[in-house]
Amino acid sequence: MTVITHPRRKSRLAGMIDSPGGISVGVALEQARANIEGLRGRAMSVVDAGIEALEATPAPTSLAETPARLDQVYRAATSLLDAAGPFELFDLCRAAAGLCDLIGAIDPEQPFDWRIVTVHARSLRLLQTLPPEAVQERARILDSLNEVIERKLGQPG
Protein backbone atom coordinates (compact mmCIF):
# COMPACT_ATOMS: atom_id res chain seq x y z
CA MET A 1 0.00 0.00 0.00
CA THR A 2 1.31 3.41 -0.97
CA VAL A 3 0.54 6.47 1.10
CA ILE A 4 1.03 9.82 -0.48
CA THR A 5 1.53 12.69 1.88
CA HIS A 6 1.83 16.33 1.20
CA PRO A 7 2.31 19.23 3.50
CA ARG A 8 -0.97 20.85 4.37
CA ARG A 9 -1.12 24.57 3.89
CA LYS A 10 -3.23 26.63 6.19
CA SER A 11 -5.60 29.00 4.47
CA ARG A 12 -5.49 32.70 5.15
CA LEU A 13 -9.02 32.53 6.57
CA ALA A 14 -8.04 29.74 8.98
CA GLY A 15 -5.12 31.86 10.13
CA MET A 16 -7.37 34.83 10.75
CA ILE A 17 -9.82 32.70 12.69
CA ASP A 18 -7.11 31.16 14.81
CA SER A 19 -5.37 34.45 15.61
CA PRO A 20 -6.50 36.65 18.49
CA GLY A 21 -8.07 40.02 17.78
CA GLY A 22 -10.38 40.76 14.91
CA ILE A 23 -13.56 42.76 15.24
CA SER A 24 -16.53 42.45 17.52
CA VAL A 25 -19.85 41.09 16.33
CA GLY A 26 -21.44 44.52 16.76
CA VAL A 27 -18.84 46.18 14.54
CA ALA A 28 -19.16 43.40 11.95
CA LEU A 29 -22.95 43.82 11.88
CA GLU A 30 -22.62 47.56 11.50
CA GLN A 31 -20.18 47.13 8.61
CA ALA A 32 -22.53 44.62 6.98
CA ARG A 33 -25.47 47.03 7.30
CA ALA A 34 -23.40 49.80 5.73
CA ASN A 35 -22.37 47.50 2.87
CA ILE A 36 -25.97 46.46 2.23
CA GLU A 37 -27.18 50.06 2.42
CA GLY A 38 -24.77 50.90 -0.38
CA LEU A 39 -26.74 48.50 -2.58
CA ARG A 40 -30.17 49.98 -1.79
CA GLY A 41 -30.38 52.06 -4.99
CA ARG A 42 -29.62 49.11 -7.20
CA ALA A 43 -32.05 46.90 -5.27
CA MET A 44 -34.84 49.46 -5.58
CA SER A 45 -34.25 49.49 -9.33
CA VAL A 46 -34.70 45.71 -9.35
CA VAL A 47 -37.91 46.07 -7.31
CA ASP A 48 -39.22 48.66 -9.75
CA ALA A 49 -38.27 46.47 -12.72
CA GLY A 50 -40.07 43.52 -11.13
CA ILE A 51 -43.25 45.54 -10.70
CA GLU A 52 -42.94 46.84 -14.26
CA ALA A 53 -42.52 43.27 -15.52
CA LEU A 54 -45.69 42.24 -13.68
CA GLU A 55 -47.56 45.20 -15.12
CA ALA A 56 -46.29 44.49 -18.63
CA THR A 57 -46.84 40.73 -18.77
CA PRO A 58 -49.83 40.24 -21.03
CA ALA A 59 -52.59 37.82 -20.16
CA PRO A 60 -52.32 34.55 -22.04
CA THR A 61 -54.45 34.39 -25.16
CA SER A 62 -54.73 30.60 -25.02
CA LEU A 63 -54.55 27.83 -22.46
CA ALA A 64 -51.28 26.67 -24.05
CA GLU A 65 -49.71 30.09 -23.32
CA THR A 66 -50.71 30.08 -19.65
CA PRO A 67 -47.71 28.16 -18.19
CA ALA A 68 -45.19 30.42 -19.93
CA ARG A 69 -46.95 33.60 -18.81
CA LEU A 70 -47.25 32.33 -15.24
CA ASP A 71 -43.55 31.52 -15.32
CA GLN A 72 -42.82 35.12 -16.37
CA VAL A 73 -44.93 36.43 -13.51
CA TYR A 74 -43.31 34.04 -11.04
CA ARG A 75 -39.80 35.11 -12.10
CA ALA A 76 -40.71 38.81 -11.82
CA ALA A 77 -42.20 38.31 -8.35
CA THR A 78 -39.22 36.30 -7.08
CA SER A 79 -36.72 38.87 -8.37
CA LEU A 80 -38.70 41.57 -6.56
CA LEU A 81 -38.75 39.42 -3.43
CA ASP A 82 -35.00 38.80 -3.59
CA ALA A 83 -34.25 42.50 -3.98
CA ALA A 84 -36.67 43.76 -1.31
CA GLY A 85 -35.83 41.17 1.38
CA PRO A 86 -32.43 42.43 2.53
CA PHE A 87 -33.89 45.91 3.05
CA GLU A 88 -36.71 44.66 5.25
CA LEU A 89 -39.43 45.80 2.86
CA PHE A 90 -41.70 43.20 4.40
CA ASP A 91 -44.93 44.44 2.79
CA LEU A 92 -43.52 44.14 -0.71
CA CYS A 93 -42.07 40.75 0.16
CA ARG A 94 -45.35 39.48 1.57
CA ALA A 95 -47.34 40.59 -1.49
CA ALA A 96 -44.82 39.12 -3.94
CA ALA A 97 -44.54 35.89 -1.94
CA GLY A 98 -48.32 35.55 -1.92
CA LEU A 99 -48.41 35.75 -5.70
CA CYS A 100 -45.62 33.17 -5.94
CA ASP A 101 -47.45 30.88 -3.51
CA LEU A 102 -50.62 31.12 -5.56
CA ILE A 103 -48.85 30.39 -8.84
CA GLY A 104 -47.04 27.48 -7.22
CA ALA A 105 -50.29 26.00 -5.90
CA ILE A 106 -52.41 26.14 -9.04
CA ASP A 107 -52.45 23.84 -12.03
CA PRO A 108 -50.85 25.82 -14.89
CA GLU A 109 -52.75 23.68 -17.39
CA GLN A 110 -56.06 25.12 -16.14
CA PRO A 111 -57.49 28.56 -16.97
CA PHE A 112 -56.12 31.30 -14.72
CA ASP A 113 -57.88 34.49 -13.64
CA TRP A 114 -55.35 37.05 -14.86
CA ARG A 115 -56.97 39.80 -12.80
CA ILE A 116 -55.00 38.39 -9.86
CA VAL A 117 -51.72 39.38 -11.51
CA THR A 118 -53.08 42.83 -12.34
CA VAL A 119 -54.30 43.37 -8.76
CA HIS A 120 -50.97 42.23 -7.33
CA ALA A 121 -48.99 44.47 -9.67
CA ARG A 122 -51.10 47.50 -8.77
CA SER A 123 -50.94 46.65 -5.08
CA LEU A 124 -47.17 46.28 -5.21
CA ARG A 125 -46.89 49.66 -6.93
CA LEU A 126 -49.10 51.21 -4.26
CA LEU A 127 -47.11 49.59 -1.44
CA GLN A 128 -43.93 50.90 -3.04
CA THR A 129 -45.23 54.47 -3.07
CA LEU A 130 -46.95 54.59 0.33
CA PRO A 131 -44.95 56.26 3.10
CA PRO A 132 -43.67 53.91 5.82
CA GLU A 133 -46.00 55.47 8.39
CA ALA A 134 -49.11 54.36 6.41
CA VAL A 135 -49.28 51.19 8.49
CA GLN A 136 -53.05 50.72 8.40
CA GLU A 137 -53.26 51.24 4.64
CA ARG A 138 -50.49 48.73 4.06
CA ALA A 139 -52.20 46.20 6.32
CA ARG A 140 -55.49 46.60 4.44
CA ILE A 141 -53.80 46.05 1.09
CA LEU A 142 -52.05 42.92 2.32
CA ASP A 143 -55.23 41.57 3.94
CA SER A 144 -57.13 42.09 0.68
CA LEU A 145 -54.45 40.29 -1.34
CA ASN A 146 -54.50 37.46 1.16
CA GLU A 147 -58.30 37.18 0.78
CA VAL A 148 -57.93 36.90 -2.99
CA ILE A 149 -55.36 34.14 -2.64
CA GLU A 150 -57.43 32.23 -0.08
CA ARG A 151 -60.51 32.40 -2.29
CA LYS A 152 -58.65 31.26 -5.38
CA LEU A 153 -57.07 28.37 -3.51
CA GLY A 154 -60.37 27.45 -1.88
CA GLN A 155 -59.00 27.84 1.63
CA PRO A 156 -61.11 29.29 4.43
CA GLY A 157 -59.89 32.64 5.76
Side-chain angles (χ1 to χ4, degrees):
M1 174 173 174
T2 306
V3 177
I4 301 173
T5 61
H6 60 281
R8 296 196 183 251
R9 291 190 301 174
K10 211 170 190 183
S11 72
R12 193 172 133 224
L13 177 59
M16 288 173 28
I17 291 172
D18 290 342
S19 66
I23 60 173
S24 71
V25 171
V27 171
L29 286 173
E30 198 162 311
Q31 288 176 350
R33 281 188 201 105
N35 290 340
I36 286 177
E37 199 56 41
L39 300 172
R40 183 178 285 274
R42 204 163 58 184
M44 294 307 103
S45 294
V46 172
V47 167
D48 197 46
I51 295 171
E52 286 174 5
L54 290 173
E55 293 168 333
T57 304
T61 56
S62 68
L63 193 55
E65 250 184 31
T66 301
R69 294 281 197 245
L70 288 174
D71 186 55
Q72 283 180 278
V73 169
Y74 190 88
R75 280 186 279 124
T78 56
S79 72
L80 187 153
L81 187 58
D82 290 343
F87 299 96
E88 299 179 349
L89 301 172
F90 299 124
D91 298 338
L92 288 172
C93 291
R94 188 170 153 205
L99 182 57
C100 290
D101 290 345
L102 178 65
I103 291 170
I106 59 141
D107 180 358
E109 302 298 324
Q110 296 298 314
F112 181 78
D113 186 354
W114 204 257
R115 294 175 297 177
I116 294 170
V117 174
T118 304
V119 166
H120 271 80
R122 289 180 182 164
S123 297
L124 284 160
R125 182 67 72 197
L126 182 57
L127 288 168
Q128 182 189 35
T129 58
L130 280 173
E133 57 273 2
V135 175
Q136 289 180 336
E137 292 84 352
R138 290 173 175 280
R140 271 187 265 155
I141 291 167
L142 293 171
D143 288 344
S144 296
L145 290 175
N146 197 41
E147 266 183 58
V148 169
I149 291 168
E150 288 173 352
R151 284 185 185 172
K152 290 300 175 181
L153 294 178
Q155 299 170 349

Short mmCIF file of all heavy atoms in Angstrom, two decimals, residues 1-29:
data_model
loop_
_atom_site.label_atom_id
_atom_site.label_comp_id
_atom_site.label_asym_id
_atom_site.label_seq_id
_atom_site.Cartn_x
_atom_site.Cartn_y
_atom_site.Cartn_z
N MET A 1 0.83 -1.17 0.00
CA MET A 1 0.00 0.00 0.00
C MET A 1 0.88 1.24 0.00
O MET A 1 1.83 1.33 0.75
CB MET A 1 -0.88 -0.02 1.23
CG MET A 1 -1.66 1.22 1.37
SD MET A 1 -2.71 0.92 2.65
CE MET A 1 -3.62 1.73 3.36
N THR A 2 0.54 2.19 -0.86
CA THR A 2 1.31 3.41 -0.97
C THR A 2 0.51 4.55 -0.34
O THR A 2 -0.68 4.71 -0.59
CB THR A 2 1.57 3.74 -2.45
OG1 THR A 2 2.17 2.62 -3.06
CG2 THR A 2 2.44 4.96 -2.57
N VAL A 3 1.17 5.31 0.47
CA VAL A 3 0.54 6.47 1.10
C VAL A 3 1.25 7.70 0.59
O VAL A 3 2.47 7.81 0.67
CB VAL A 3 0.65 6.40 2.64
CG1 VAL A 3 0.07 7.65 3.26
CG2 VAL A 3 -0.02 5.15 3.16
N ILE A 4 0.46 8.58 0.03
CA ILE A 4 1.03 9.82 -0.48
C ILE A 4 0.72 10.92 0.53
O ILE A 4 -0.42 11.11 0.93
CB ILE A 4 0.43 10.18 -1.84
CG1 ILE A 4 0.72 9.06 -2.83
CG2 ILE A 4 0.95 11.52 -2.33
CD1 ILE A 4 0.04 9.23 -4.16
N THR A 5 1.73 11.59 0.94
CA THR A 5 1.53 12.69 1.88
C THR A 5 2.02 13.98 1.25
O THR A 5 2.90 13.99 0.40
CB THR A 5 2.31 12.44 3.19
OG1 THR A 5 3.69 12.35 2.88
CG2 THR A 5 1.85 11.18 3.88
N HIS A 6 1.39 15.01 1.64
CA HIS A 6 1.83 16.33 1.20
C HIS A 6 1.62 17.30 2.35
O HIS A 6 0.74 17.10 3.18
CB HIS A 6 1.07 16.77 -0.06
CG HIS A 6 -0.41 16.87 0.14
ND1 HIS A 6 -1.22 15.76 0.12
CD2 HIS A 6 -1.21 17.94 0.37
CE1 HIS A 6 -2.48 16.15 0.33
NE2 HIS A 6 -2.49 17.45 0.48
N PRO A 7 2.45 18.28 2.40
CA PRO A 7 2.31 19.23 3.50
C PRO A 7 0.99 20.02 3.34
O PRO A 7 0.65 20.47 2.26
CB PRO A 7 3.53 20.15 3.36
CG PRO A 7 3.99 19.98 1.95
CD PRO A 7 3.54 18.63 1.50
N ARG A 8 0.28 20.10 4.40
CA ARG A 8 -0.97 20.85 4.37
C ARG A 8 -0.67 22.33 4.58
O ARG A 8 0.06 22.70 5.48
CB ARG A 8 -1.91 20.36 5.44
CG ARG A 8 -2.32 18.94 5.21
CD ARG A 8 -3.52 18.61 6.04
NE ARG A 8 -3.86 17.21 5.86
CZ ARG A 8 -4.92 16.80 5.20
NH1 ARG A 8 -5.78 17.67 4.71
NH2 ARG A 8 -5.15 15.52 5.06
N ARG A 9 -1.28 23.13 3.73
CA ARG A 9 -1.12 24.57 3.89
C ARG A 9 -2.35 25.11 4.59
O ARG A 9 -3.47 24.70 4.30
CB ARG A 9 -0.96 25.24 2.53
CG ARG A 9 0.35 24.90 1.86
CD ARG A 9 0.59 25.73 0.65
NE ARG A 9 -0.48 25.52 -0.32
CZ ARG A 9 -0.62 26.20 -1.44
NH1 ARG A 9 0.23 27.15 -1.74
NH2 ARG A 9 -1.60 25.96 -2.27
N LYS A 10 -2.12 26.02 5.48
CA LYS A 10 -3.23 26.63 6.19
C LYS A 10 -3.73 27.82 5.38
O LYS A 10 -2.95 28.63 4.91
CB LYS A 10 -2.73 27.10 7.56
CG LYS A 10 -3.77 27.05 8.62
CD LYS A 10 -3.15 27.30 9.98
CE LYS A 10 -4.18 27.00 11.03
NZ LYS A 10 -3.70 27.27 12.35
N SER A 11 -5.03 27.89 5.23
CA SER A 11 -5.60 29.00 4.47
C SER A 11 -5.49 30.31 5.25
O SER A 11 -5.35 30.31 6.47
CB SER A 11 -7.07 28.73 4.14
OG SER A 11 -7.85 28.85 5.30
N ARG A 12 -5.57 31.38 4.53
CA ARG A 12 -5.49 32.70 5.15
C ARG A 12 -6.66 32.89 6.12
O ARG A 12 -6.51 33.42 7.21
CB ARG A 12 -5.53 33.77 4.07
CG ARG A 12 -5.15 35.13 4.57
CD ARG A 12 -5.01 36.11 3.43
NE ARG A 12 -5.73 37.29 3.85
CZ ARG A 12 -6.55 37.99 3.12
NH1 ARG A 12 -6.77 37.68 1.88
NH2 ARG A 12 -7.17 39.03 3.59
N LEU A 13 -7.85 32.41 5.72
CA LEU A 13 -9.02 32.53 6.57
C LEU A 13 -8.83 31.75 7.87
O LEU A 13 -9.14 32.24 8.96
CB LEU A 13 -10.28 32.03 5.84
CG LEU A 13 -11.57 32.03 6.63
CD1 LEU A 13 -11.91 33.45 7.10
CD2 LEU A 13 -12.71 31.47 5.80
N ALA A 14 -8.29 30.54 7.78
CA ALA A 14 -8.04 29.74 8.98
C ALA A 14 -7.07 30.46 9.90
O ALA A 14 -7.24 30.46 11.12
CB ALA A 14 -7.51 28.37 8.60
N GLY A 15 -6.07 31.09 9.33
CA GLY A 15 -5.12 31.86 10.13
C GLY A 15 -5.79 33.02 10.84
O GLY A 15 -5.49 33.31 12.00
N MET A 16 -6.67 33.70 10.14
CA MET A 16 -7.37 34.83 10.75
C MET A 16 -8.29 34.36 11.87
O MET A 16 -8.40 35.00 12.91
CB MET A 16 -8.18 35.59 9.69
CG MET A 16 -7.30 36.38 8.75
SD MET A 16 -8.12 37.16 7.32
CE MET A 16 -9.74 37.48 7.81
N ILE A 17 -8.93 33.22 11.66
CA ILE A 17 -9.82 32.70 12.69
C ILE A 17 -9.05 32.28 13.92
O ILE A 17 -9.48 32.51 15.05
CB ILE A 17 -10.65 31.52 12.12
CG1 ILE A 17 -11.65 32.04 11.08
CG2 ILE A 17 -11.36 30.75 13.23
CD1 ILE A 17 -12.37 30.96 10.32
N ASP A 18 -7.90 31.66 13.71
CA ASP A 18 -7.11 31.16 14.81
C ASP A 18 -6.37 32.26 15.57
O ASP A 18 -5.98 32.08 16.71
CB ASP A 18 -6.09 30.12 14.33
CG ASP A 18 -6.77 28.83 13.90
OD1 ASP A 18 -7.93 28.62 14.29
OD2 ASP A 18 -6.14 28.05 13.16
N SER A 19 -6.16 33.40 14.95
CA SER A 19 -5.37 34.45 15.61
C SER A 19 -6.28 35.30 16.50
O SER A 19 -7.45 35.52 16.21
CB SER A 19 -4.69 35.32 14.57
OG SER A 19 -5.63 36.03 13.83
N PRO A 20 -5.72 35.80 17.60
CA PRO A 20 -6.50 36.65 18.49
C PRO A 20 -6.76 38.01 17.84
O PRO A 20 -6.06 38.43 16.93
CB PRO A 20 -5.62 36.78 19.73
CG PRO A 20 -4.24 36.53 19.23
CD PRO A 20 -4.37 35.60 18.06
N GLY A 21 -7.77 38.68 18.30
CA GLY A 21 -8.07 40.02 17.78
C GLY A 21 -9.27 39.96 16.87
O GLY A 21 -10.21 39.23 17.11
N GLY A 22 -9.25 40.71 15.82
CA GLY A 22 -10.38 40.76 14.91
C GLY A 22 -11.33 41.87 15.31
O GLY A 22 -10.94 42.83 15.98
N ILE A 23 -12.57 41.73 14.91
CA ILE A 23 -13.56 42.76 15.24
C ILE A 23 -14.71 42.13 16.00
O ILE A 23 -14.96 40.93 15.90
CB ILE A 23 -14.09 43.46 13.96
CG1 ILE A 23 -14.76 42.46 13.02
CG2 ILE A 23 -12.99 44.21 13.26
CD1 ILE A 23 -15.44 43.10 11.84
N SER A 24 -15.40 42.95 16.73
CA SER A 24 -16.53 42.45 17.52
C SER A 24 -17.72 42.18 16.60
O SER A 24 -17.79 42.68 15.48
CB SER A 24 -16.92 43.48 18.58
OG SER A 24 -17.53 44.59 17.96
N VAL A 25 -18.65 41.42 17.10
CA VAL A 25 -19.85 41.09 16.33
C VAL A 25 -20.63 42.37 16.01
O VAL A 25 -21.12 42.55 14.90
CB VAL A 25 -20.73 40.09 17.12
CG1 VAL A 25 -22.08 39.91 16.45
CG2 VAL A 25 -20.03 38.77 17.27
N GLY A 26 -20.71 43.27 16.98
CA GLY A 26 -21.44 44.52 16.76
C GLY A 26 -20.83 45.34 15.63
O GLY A 26 -21.55 45.87 14.78
N VAL A 27 -19.52 45.44 15.60
CA VAL A 27 -18.84 46.18 14.54
C VAL A 27 -19.04 45.48 13.20
O VAL A 27 -19.31 46.12 12.17
CB VAL A 27 -17.34 46.35 14.86
CG1 VAL A 27 -16.58 46.92 13.68
CG2 VAL A 27 -17.15 47.23 16.09
N ALA A 28 -18.95 44.16 13.20
CA ALA A 28 -19.16 43.40 11.95
C ALA A 28 -20.57 43.61 11.41
O ALA A 28 -20.76 43.80 10.20
CB ALA A 28 -18.89 41.92 12.19
N LEU A 29 -21.56 43.59 12.32
CA LEU A 29 -22.95 43.82 11.88
C LEU A 29 -23.13 45.23 11.33
O LEU A 29 -23.82 45.42 10.33
CB LEU A 29 -23.92 43.57 13.04
CG LEU A 29 -24.14 42.11 13.41
CD1 LEU A 29 -24.98 42.01 14.67
CD2 LEU A 29 -24.81 41.38 12.27
#
